[in-house]
Amino acid sequence: MKTIFRDMKLKNLAVLAAAFMLGSCDKDFLEPDSLSTFDNQYIYSNVDDARKGVNAIYSYFNQDAFRSRLSNNMTGNTDIEHQSGWTSNGDRYQIWNLEALDSNRDLNIVWTYAYQAIRDANISIEGILASSALQSSDVTVQNTMYHLLGEAYTLRAYWYSMLIFYFGDVPYVTQAPVAGGEFLLPKADRNEILSAEIDALIEIESQMKWADEVRYGIEQVNREYTLGMIARLSLQRGGYYLKPDLTMNRSSDYQQYYAIAKEYAQKLIELKDRPLPTDFRQIFLNNATFQSPVNSEILFEVPFSLNSGDVGWNIGIAVDGGPTASHDYGSGGNYMAMPVTYYLSFDSNDKRRDVTCGLYKINTSFEQTFVEGPMNISQGKWSRAFLETPPGASTAKSTGINWPMMRFADVLLMFAEAENELNGPTALAQDALKRVRQRAFDEADWAEMVDGYVAGISGSKDSFFEAIVDERAWEFGGEMIRKYELIRWGIYSEKVQQTVEDLKKLADDAYAGVGDLPDYMYWKLDENGDFMVLNPDYKVAAPPDETWNQVPFLLDLHDDTNTYDEWITRDWENYYDGPAPGVARYIFPIPNVAVESSQGMLKNDGYGFN
């Protein structure tokens, strides 16, 4: 049953957000309204009101800046997720094509709400630190206040991480707004921001509570997630990043941050280990059936209320609905598709493939039918059709399906990556990788696909790293974190260019009739109405009988006029042949509203913007 936290929390958030909100997106992002010192002292004088104050930070997950932008819609194109940006001048298309203008509305709302979330985090941090309740003689009160402090620090760190990924160096605000205070700040170095945020989380994490100790479990920030965030932020800090001169750089102290990532991933594994659930599909079905188990796979998920959230509307299996449909599940699309190269990269026996990559859509008769070609493979982990109660024929947005922010498999793979970077493919690194792969295969296949595979890629640090790159693709496809990984690894452009070349080869081979991959796919619904594919990853000369439907698959990549479907040559073009060939210019301009209101403090210099 969906926890009461979602509905109660969002009601509380609405009240607190109204009290703390700066105003519209056109208002200066740092300029404070007058806040009463008495009000702040009152709010953080007791646990219940302090909880409401921290809830205000969560409210920004319920804004479009997160629920349909940062969580999924702005995170392509990569080697495993993509969308066509060159087909329109609309805001999201500009972002997909890496050609966003400083007038882009999507970037403006992300910038604005990120700083509003940071502002509310700073209000909570200062309010809690100044509160006598933090030093209460009541141990329960004191522990709760420290945990709330950790939530505020962790949420602030998340938003700074996102701002840095999208805008590079940004103003670093760590103080609550006061009337008459200084709110016009210059950009701060991204490494200084990340280092400070990591230090803050390290300082507070031991005073936080585990998910099974807090009222709302994994639907609120907990110690597991904060430990995981220390590792994730440390890998971001120790990774590559784009400089204003359009070169990729890595700081000389990067290994220090890999060591921090290893230490805190390992700390979580040792203090709060848990077996990975054996049913990969159930992890994501839990989101759609409103189950949020603690001490399991997901460490923290954004808790959308029953009338909020865009999962199953702009991401997931496509569903054709509407008032004339024969079902009551409504309509949902999929803004980010899976390249067929990614689908075919899976081993045939990898259980993750058919969960992650959806080869079907649902029509108005509530029947599963094959997707429209190999460019429309969907993120199969979510679907509004998985909801236990149909939301209504005319519904679209606001499915209530939660969004996972971090999983335990991520922690295992971050540990394996950091250990390999520091010490090579040690037994510790290999064991962590094995734990993730064991879940992906039947136990009968472990000798070959787990033990044999890991032994084969552990001959060198480089080969083990490449295996981590692949494993993270297979494990997290559709969860929209790949962009950030490719950035910090410094291989963004390389990976997308290789995807294009691989797609061209698939098209060439299919047109020439060579190879053993499926030029056509054959599918049908079985006697139970379940979708079946005869040849998911291999070629057949003909189906065994006439009950199978034939659809072009890899042959659909060929174009008689242009040789290749235009999306192959254009979707990723600016990611390897943009302002600096061989570099993906993933940094976007600061919104013009923020620049104009900064009184000269901010400008869009470098990155080819001027």
Side-chain angles (χ1 to χ4, degrees):
M1 181 176 181
K2 179 169 282 195
T3 141
I4 297 174
F5 175 53
R6 299 194 189 172
D7 297 321
M8 289 184 64
K9 177 184 77 67
L10 289 174
K11 289 178 183 177
N12 289 335
L13 295 184
V15 173
L16 269 296
F20 292 168
M21 190 65 69
L22 287 178
S24 72
C25 288
D26 293 331
K27 190 170 182 179
D28 186 88
F29 73 103
L30 291 178
E31 183 177 7
D33 289 336
S34 178
L35 297 176
S36 166
T37 303
F38 169 79
D39 290 343
N40 206 33
Q41 289 175 347
Y42 173 78
I43 290 170
Y44 297 99
S45 65
N46 63 86
V47 167
D48 290 339
D49 287 324
R51 171 75 269 170
K52 295 174 185 177
V54 173
N55 280 355
I57 315 168
Y58 286 87
S59 69
Y60 300 98
F61 288 138
N62 198 40
Q63 301 289 344
D64 276 350
F66 175 84
R67 68 186 176 199
S68 65
R69 267 74 167 183
L70 288 180
S71 62
N72 56 76
N73 200 8
M74 286 174 56
T75 53
N77 293 344
T78 71
D79 55 336
I80 70 173
E81 297 138 347
H82 85 288
Q83 185 52 274
S84 298
W86 47 273
T87 57
S88 169
N89 290 323
D91 290 340
R92 69 172 61 100
Y93 295 88
Q94 292 178 16
I95 292 171
W96 291 335
N97 205 34
L98 297 188
E99 288 190 336
L101 304 175
D102 61 4
S103 58
N104 187 285
R105 177 70 175 173
D106 283 351
L107 292 179
N108 188 25
I109 66 169
V110 168
W111 178 275
T112 300
Y113 285 122
Y115 274 107
Q116 289 183 358
I118 288 166
R119 177 211 57 205
D120 285 356
N122 288 335
I123 290 172
S124 290
I125 291 166
E126 288 193 10
I128 294 172
L129 287 174
S131 173
S132 60
L134 192 63
Q135 305 302 327
S136 173
S137 58
D138 186 325
V139 175
T140 300
V141 170
Q142 183 182 114
N143 290 346
T144 302
M145 293 296 285
Y146 270 110
H147 181 80
L148 290 171
L149 183 61
E151 287 187 48
Y153 275 123
T154 304
L155 291 169
R156 187 180 76 178
Y158 167 79
W159 285 103
Y160 271 123
S161 173
M162 291 297 102
L163 284 169
I164 287 167
F165 271 127
Y166 285 91
F167 300 104
D169 295 344
V170 295
Y172 187 36
V173 190
T174 59
Q175 294 181 334
V178 293
E182 179 58 59
F183 57 87
L184 296 174
L185 298 176
K187 296 178 184 178
D189 183 273
R190 51 93 68 186
N191 286 338
E192 293 177 6
I193 298 172
L194 288 171
S195 295
E197 292 300 293
I198 291 166
D199 288 344
L201 297 189
I202 289 174
E203 181 71 21
I204 194 63
E205 63 83 10
S206 64
Q207 296 167 297
M208 295 180 67
K209 299 180 181 183
W210 302 111
D212 58 12
E213 297 175 326
V214 295
R215 181 178 179 185
Y216 307 119
I218 64 171
E219 291 189 310
Q220 74 182 91
V221 169
N222 50 67
R223 190 180 180 191
E224 287 102 317
Y225 179 62
T226 298
L227 284 166
M229 279 295 288
I230 293 172
R232 180 177 283 179
L233 290 168
S234 296
L235 291 178
Q236 181 182 359
R237 170 64 175 81
Y240 289 90
Y241 59 93
L242 187 65
K243 296 173 61 180
D245 65 359
L246 293 177
T247 61
M248 294 295 288
N249 184 59
R250 179 187 239 177
S251 299
S252 60
D253 61 354
Y254 75 94
Q255 285 199 331
Q256 172 186 337
Y257 288 90
Y258 272 82
I260 294 173
K262 175 194 169 183
E263 177 183 354
Y264 284 89
Q266 187 170 22
K267 185 173 185 177
L268 175 54
I269 294 167
E270 292 176 349
L271 292 180
K272 204 67 171 175
D273 200 2
R274 73 281 312 273
L276 295 181
T278 56
D279 189 339
F280 191 67
R281 184 178 296 278
Q282 189 61 46
I283 298 169
F284 310 100
L285 282 176
N286 284 345
N287 296 144
T289 55
F290 309 138
Q291 302 177 69
S292 301
V294 297
N295 298 322
S296 189
E297 175 77 25
I298 295 178
L299 305 183
F300 169 55
E301 58 188 29
V302 171
F304 290 118
S305 68
L306 289 172
N307 60 353
S308 183
D310 291 344
V311 185
W313 172 68
N314 69 345
I315 185 170
I317 298 292
V319 178
D320 295 333
T324 61
S326 64
H327 64 83
D328 290 324
Y329 284 90
S331 304
N334 188 51
Y335 286 8
M336 285 285 173
M338 304 291 205
V340 66
T341 44
Y342 172 60
Y343 170 78
L344 292 172
S345 73
F346 283 89
D347 184 89
S348 298
N349 294 323
D350 192 327
K351 300 175 184 179
R352 296 170 295 190
R353 182 190 66 184
D354 295 340
V355 174
T356 303
C357 301
L359 292 180
Y360 70 92
K361 60 177 289 186
I362 295 175
N363 62 24
T364 55
S365 300
F366 206 63
E367 295 176 332
Q368 297 176 351
T369 183
F370 202 83
V371 295
E372 299 172 358
M375 74 168 292
N376 288 305
I377 299 173
S378 65
Q379 286 102 334
K381 290 175 177 176
W382 302 279
S383 173
R384 64 192 307 111
F386 297 159
L387 292 166
E388 293 180 323
T389 302
S394 297
T395 59
K397 294 169 69 73
S398 304
T399 62
I401 298 173
N402 281 2
W403 182 254
M405 295 286 277
M406 187 179 292
R407 299 199 276 115
F408 194 65
D410 195 347
V411 176
L412 291 170
L413 291 177
M414 286 192 292
F415 171 77
E417 178 186 346
E419 170 69 4
N420 179 63
E421 178 64 36
L422 296 168
N423 303 308
T426 63
L428 286 173
Q430 292 181 47
D431 288 345
L433 176 56
K434 286 180 181 180
R435 288 185 62 181
V436 176
R437 287 187 65 83
Q438 283 172 348
R439 197 247 309 274
F441 296 93
D442 288 331
E443 191 170 355
D445 295 327
W446 285 3
E448 176 185 359
M449 300 310 302
V450 178
D451 298 333
Y453 173 84
V454 173
I457 54 88
S458 297
S460 71
K461 176 179 173 179
D462 289 343
S463 60
F464 192 86
F465 168 74
E466 291 299 327
I468 290 292
V469 171
D470 290 341
E471 201 65 40
R472 292 190 67 91
W474 297 322
E475 181 69 22
F476 301 113
E479 295 176 59
M480 313 311 289
I481 59 175
R482 185 66 165 182
K483 172 178 181 175
Y484 312 126
E485 297 166 355
L486 295 179
I487 289 170
R488 67 177 179 80
W489 289 329
I491 58 174
Y492 200 170
S493 181
E494 171 189 333
K495 278 294 185 181
V496 295
Q497 188 167 14
Q498 186 61 55
T499 297
V500 173
E501 295 307 311
D502 290 346
L503 285 166
K504 289 179 179 179
K505 186 176 189 310
L506 289 176
D508 291 343
D509 288 352
Y511 185 69
V514 299
D516 55 4
L517 295 174
D519 301 336
Y520 293 92
M521 284 274 202
Y522 296 91
W523 70 276
K524 69 176 180 179
L525 301 181
D526 66 14
E527 59 274 13
N528 298 318
D530 294 328
F531 181 80
M532 296 178 59
V533 175
L534 174 66
N535 57 321
D537 53 14
Y538 56 89
K539 182 184 296 187
V540 295
D545 56 59
E546 295 182 353
T547 64
W548 294 91
N549 301 289
Q550 182 193 67
V551 291
F553 195 59
L554 295 182
L555 270 175
D556 200 40
L557 302 176
H558 177 81
D559 183 274
D560 288 337
T561 301
N562 300 313
T563 305
Y564 307 110
D565 279 351
E566 199 170 10
W567 64 271
I568 295 176
T569 57
R570 298 196 65 177
D571 278 8
W572 292 273
E573 184 177 17
N574 281 345
Y575 290 75
Y576 61 86
D577 194 20
V583 175
R585 187 182 66 175
Y586 63 86
I587 295 292
F588 294 112
I590 296 172
N592 57 11
V593 173
V595 172
E596 290 170 1
S597 62
S598 73
Q599 298 183 25
M601 282 289 188
L602 300 178
K603 61 181 179 178
N604 282 308
D605 49 348
Y607 302 107
F609 297 143
N610 51 359

